[in-house]
Amino acid sequence: MPLTSQISVYDPRWPDLFLSEQQRIRSVFANALVTIHHVGSTAVPGLAAKPEIDLLVEVSEHRDVGDVTERMKSLGYVRGTDLSQDHHFYRRDVNGVRTHKVHVCPSGHWQIARMLRFRDLLRQDPDLSARYQALKLHLEATNQHGIGEYLASKAPFIDAVLAHKRERD
């Protein structure tokens, strides 16, 4: 079963696509907005990725979730299932192809530190980035049940990297 999109070589346009989308969605979160981070594999120069821009929206608190969902809908986003408590998720597809994912978490949410730490480790360590890329390509090639299987199969690698980093700190 295919993933939401096929993994491709790094595209140097991804940072600009992030900046463009960051500007487009900024006003949706109004006064609750703290910052918007570029996360996921498209945020790591040189790393092959599904060409889906991941944005992590940090808010002071979730406010007017129904209004936020409507404003995101007006920008082409669909609200997905929460990925964990207080971790809201939106996705945008263009012509049936996933182009953007937006994670919305309040300040202090454990996923913010997790996503930023893993992104930064990949940016700092070319060997780690190469190992992660090889894993992702292997998982894509052997995937039989879609994106859920792919994400679940990546999780132990990410968990181990972050646990090892905590031990060294």
Side-chain angles (χ1 to χ4, degrees), residues 21-41:
E21 198 64 13
Q22 176 188 44
Q23 289 305 314
R24 228 170 67 88
I25 68 170
R26 179 180 284 306
S27 65
V28 168
F29 301 94
N31 295 337
L33 180 66
V34 174
T35 192
I36 302 175
H37 304 277
H38 188 188
V39 295
S41 294

Side-chain angles (χ1 to χ4, degrees), residues 103-163:
H103 305 263
V104 184
C105 298
S107 295
H109 193 282
W110 63 274
Q111 277 287 14
I112 295 172
R114 177 182 170 81
M115 284 189 257
L116 295 176
R117 180 174 291 132
F118 189 65
R119 178 204 62 193
D120 293 347
L121 290 170
L122 290 172
R123 285 177 170 175
Q124 296 163 8
D125 186 339
D127 180 58
L128 175 63
S129 183
R131 288 187 292 132
Y132 185 56
Q133 178 173 292
L135 171 65
K136 292 186 333 163
L137 292 170
H138 169 75
L139 294 175
E140 178 184 48
T142 59
N143 185 283
Q144 296 190 11
H145 302 288
I147 192 67
E149 173 188 325
Y150 172 80
L151 294 173
S153 297
K154 286 191 324 178
F157 178 90
I158 296 168
D159 291 342
V161 167
L162 293 174

Side-chain angles (χ1 to χ4, degrees), residues 31-67:
N31 295 337
L33 180 66
V34 174
T35 192
I36 302 175
H37 304 277
H38 188 188
V39 295
S41 294
T42 63
V44 180
L47 182 61
K50 292 186 279 91
E52 304 170 7
I53 306 301
D54 280 278
L55 298 99
L56 170 58
V57 177
E58 183 178 346
V59 293
S60 57
E61 63 182 343
H62 288 300
R63 294 186 196 152
D64 306 317
V65 174
D67 289 342

